Amino acid sequence: SSTGALSLGLLSLLAEFSTDHKVHCSPSEFAETVFRMEDHKINFKIGRQDPYAIILGGINFLRFGNKGFHAHNFEVETHISETDSDVRTLEKKLLLVHSGVSREAQNIVKIVTANIDSGKKVYRQALETIGTCGETVTRLIQTQQFDDRLAYAMSENWEAQKQLAPESSNAKLDMVYSKIMQSGAVGGKMCGAGGGGYFVFYCRDREGVMQTAKKMGLQVIEPRFEMRDILTLNNLNPENENSR
C-alpha cells in the first residue's frame, strides 16, 4: 500500500510539471525510481519486487542477481500483459482471504534479513526453496498449465517462508490456514512478508472457501489481474494517447 501511494503521488507530481502532462519514461524506469526512493531515501526495505509488480501490471517473473542492488543485475524474464481465457481461468481459482491480523511488514523483513545474514544452512535452504517455487510457478504459467501444481508450489513456498522466519505465522494464522484448506482450497500462502495481512488460496471449491471465511468473520476478495502498466492505466504514457 505504501508503494502504491508513493507511485501515484509521484506520477501526479511528474504529470503536473510536464509540458504535455505525460510521464516521459518507461514503466520499468519509473518502477526503478520508486524502488530507489523507498530503499535509499526513506530506508523502507520492501524489495524491488513490490514497485515492479505494481507499476508493470500483468503477470511477471523477476529474476534477481547477486551483485548488489543495481538495476542491471536483474531482469523481467517473463511479462504477460494480455488477458485470455487461461488468465481468467486462473483468476477464478484464486481467492484472497484476510487473516484477521494486521502487521507491520518491516518487522518481519528485519527478521528475515538477520536470519539470512546469519549464514545458517536452514535459512539458506528455505530461501532456495522459495526461489525454486517461483520458478516452478513461472514454468507452469508460461506453458498455460493452470492446475493443482500451482497450488502445491504455493503451499511449499509458505512452509519455506515460515522456516525462513518463524514469526511469519502464529497459532491464529495457522488455524485460519488450516480451516480454509479443509474447506476447498488446494494450496495457498500468505502474501508479502507474513505475520498478518492476506492469504492467497488456489481453490478447487472457491464458493466453499468463501463461505467458510465469511463464517469466520474474515474479509474475502475475488482478485482480478490488472494487465495494464500504471502509466497506461492513468493515461500518462505519451506513447498511448488513446489509452483509458
Side-chain angles (χ1 to χ4, degrees):
S1 59
S2 61
T3 299
L6 176 61
S7 300
L8 292 174
L10 183 57
L11 278 179
S12 177
L13 185 65
L14 291 172
E16 179 182 354
F17 289 96
S18 172
T19 56
D20 58 358
H21 300 293
K22 302 293 182 180
V23 177
H24 292 267
C25 66
S26 70
S28 292
E29 290 169 336
F30 181 63
E32 185 65 21
T33 298
V34 172
F35 163 71
R36 293 187 180 216
M37 288 181 68
E38 290 193 312
D39 187 75
H40 296 272
K41 297 298 183 182
I42 62 176
N43 198 33
F44 196 65
K45 304 298 184 182
I46 60 161
R48 193 178 254 111
Q49 71 280 351
D50 284 6
Y52 273 81
I54 290 171
I55 291 165
L56 292 182
I59 301 173
N60 302 284
F61 176 40
L62 308 179
R63 183 180 292 279
F64 294 81
N66 58 1
K67 298 179 180 179
F69 299 103
H70 300 288
H72 59 269
N73 286 323
F74 79 100
E75 62 179 319
V76 182
E77 182 177 302
T78 298
H79 175 61
I80 300 173
S81 59
E82 298 294 331
T83 300
D84 58 18
S85 60
D86 291 309
V87 170
R88 292 299 181 216
T89 297
L90 177 59
E91 282 182 338
K92 292 176 182 178
K93 293 283 188 179
L94 300 177
L95 190 69
L96 288 166
V97 177
H98 196 271
S99 63
V101 178
S102 297
R103 87 284 190 264
E104 172 54 65
Q106 288 296 290
N107 296 332
I108 304 296
V109 171
K110 290 177 182 177
I111 293 170
V112 169
T113 301
N115 288 347
I116 293 173
D117 290 344
S118 73
K120 292 184 178 179
K121 185 177 180 180
V122 62
Y123 300 133
R124 177 57 58 184
Q125 288 178 332
L127 195 61
E128 290 175 354
T129 297
I130 290 172
T132 299
C133 289
E135 290 191 341
T136 297
V137 169
T138 297
R139 304 311 171 212
L140 290 170
I141 291 176
Q142 285 174 332
T143 53
Q144 300 180 329
Q145 299 180 72
F146 301 118
D147 55 38
D148 288 359
R149 286 174 291 180
L150 285 171
Y152 302 149
M154 291 165 67
S155 291
E156 185 179 5
N157 179 287
W158 177 229
E159 291 303 316
Q161 201 172 338
K162 291 188 290 183
Q163 186 178 29
L164 184 59
E167 293 82 358
S168 296
S169 193
N170 55 44
K172 180 176 181 178
L173 297 179
D174 289 343
M175 179 272 292
V176 171
Y177 186 86
S178 178
K179 286 191 175 183
I180 295 297
M181 287 293 290
Q182 293 171 16
S183 66
V186 186
K189 66 181 294 293
M190 181 154 279
C191 299
Y198 282 89
F199 284 107
V200 56
F201 290 100
Y202 182 101
C203 306
R204 185 171 290 140
D205 177 10
R206 192 164 75 163
E207 186 60 35
V209 170
M210 292 177 65
Q211 291 178 5
T212 297
K214 290 178 179 179
K215 287 179 181 178
M216 298 170 67
L218 302 175
Q219 180 191 31
V220 297
I221 296 176
E222 299 177 57
R224 292 289 298 272
F225 293 118
E226 177 53 70
M227 310 307 282
R228 294 169 292 178
D229 67 79
I230 199 170
L231 302 184
T232 301
L233 183 62
N234 289 278
N235 196 31
L236 294 173
N237 191 333
E239 297 180 0
N240 297 284
E241 292 292 341
N242 297 319
S243 297
R244 295 291 176 183

